[in-house]
Amino acid sequence: MDNALYNTTIECPVCSKKFEVTKVRAKTSKVLERDSDFCVYYEGINPIMYDVWVCEHCGYAAQQDKFSEISDRDAKTIKETISPKWHQRSFAGERSIENSIEAFKIALLNLQVRKAKASELAKVCIRIAWLYRIAKDEKEKDFMKFALKGYTETFEKENFPVDKLDENTCLYMIGELNRRVGNLDDSIKWFSRLIGSPQGRQNPKLIEAAREQFQLAKEQLGDAAK
Ligand SMILES: [Zn+2]
């Protein structure tokens, strides 16, 4: 296994059995580049690939920072809906990009059966989109659309900040994902809303990025009309 990775044993909060997970050592991944929707490229191991833990015994899966946070009711739902169909399988050890996408899709299925909030679905879907982008697979677009639906619903129904997501960043993501999936009119509308919002001034870097992407969407719209 790569030196940047190590295994540790944890206890599953759903089935109470122990299993191994693989973690990335802190500070071994150097950031090379960031896309306009915050997809990060690393030199060395991409920590996002190891972000989801999957219990090999029962099929419970979640992002590692959320793994232990599960209500008794949700644990019961997983035991009744996911575990009976689950075939024992470990996700420990080095992951290929395909394995990491698979782990995220199992986490997504877990969120769906738990009837999770839109913000949680968006967070997982955008990461699946990034992994497909890194794999140069056009399924990236499907997952950007799912993430866009999640962020739009988050904006309409949830109270900010949602986890680490603030209202401005949510608006930015809606603008940028609309642009990336080709909804240029909507992209312009959402970016304008962010640029014109009084609380946007709290984050000048984000507003600057929003202005650039707003211009880009306008140029793309102009090109499309030619
Ligand atoms: Zn389990």
Side-chain angles (χ1 to χ4, degrees):
M1 197 159 71
D2 193 294
N3 279 339
L5 300 172
Y6 65 100
N7 283 352
T8 176
T9 301
I10 62 162
E11 193 183 299
C12 173
V14 171
C15 69
S16 308
K17 289 182 186 160
K18 291 194 167 70
F19 71 100
E20 275 199 328
V21 294
T22 301
K23 290 186 171 185
V24 183
R25 276 181 221 287
K27 294 177 185 157
T28 49
S29 308
K30 196 176 137 221
V31 172
L32 285 178
E33 219 185 318
R34 249 186 207 95
D35 284 341
S36 52
D37 63 351
F38 309 118
C39 171
V40 181
Y41 299 86
Y42 295 89
E43 189 183 285
I45 302 237
N46 182 342
I48 293 172
M49 288 173 63
Y50 294 87
D51 188 28
V52 167
W53 288 349
V54 184
C55 172
E56 63 186 73
H57 308 290
C58 73
Y60 168 56
Q63 286 182 275
Q64 54 174 294
D65 62 337
K66 297 272 178 212
F67 196 81
S68 57
E69 286 174 32
I70 180 161
S71 65
D72 291 345
R73 208 179 121 194
D74 281 3
K76 189 168 172 270
T77 305
I78 285 162
K79 272 187 209 161
E80 288 170 358
T81 56
I82 290 184
S83 305
K85 293 179 204 143
W86 179 254
H87 301 285
Q88 182 144 7
R89 177 184 173 194
S90 170
F91 276 80
E94 248 173 90
R95 283 183 187 170
S96 63
I97 198 102
E98 291 78 17
N99 284 151
S100 59
I101 290 171
E102 228 182 314
F104 265 103
K105 285 189 178 171
I106 298 168
L108 182 60
L109 181 67
N110 271 261
L111 288 177
Q112 286 163 337
V113 304
R114 291 168 73 180
K115 303 196 178 0
K117 289 186 292 182
S119 55
E120 294 178 69
L121 298 172
K123 196 174 166 195
V124 164
C125 288
I126 191 67
R127 281 161 178 77
I128 298 175
W130 293 339
L131 291 167
Y132 273 128
R133 184 179 307 162
I134 292 165
K136 300 195 182 353
D137 187 319
E138 58 192 32
K139 288 191 205 81
E140 174 199 348
K141 205 165 178 181
D142 296 335
F143 282 88
M144 282 200 296
K145 286 181 185 164
F146 297 144
L148 173 59
K149 189 169 169 277
Y151 283 117
T152 310
E153 210 178 303
T154 302
F155 187 79
E156 287 160 358
K157 295 185 185 161
E158 296 183 38
N159 295 317
F160 291 102
V162 181
D163 213 350
K164 285 172 205 147
L165 181 73
D166 61 67
E167 187 171 349
N168 293 330
T169 310
C170 187
L171 274 170
Y172 177 89
M173 286 305 280
I174 298 170
E176 180 58 10
L177 290 174
N178 268 309
R179 191 190 67 77
R180 283 178 177 260
V181 302
N183 304 335
L184 298 171
D185 285 320
D186 285 329
S187 171
I188 290 165
K189 190 183 86 190
W190 285 94
F191 277 133
S192 319
R193 192 162 171 176
L194 170 59
I195 295 164
S197 82
Q199 80 272 18
R201 284 179 215 126
Q202 294 157 4
N203 194 339
K205 256 176 112 175
L206 187 75
I207 296 295
E208 182 58 37
R211 283 210 177 92
E212 280 173 25
Q213 298 315 103
F214 169 83
Q215 275 309 326
L216 189 58
K218 281 189 110 175
E219 283 164 25
Q220 285 175 296
L221 193 65
D223 289 343
K226 268 176 208 163

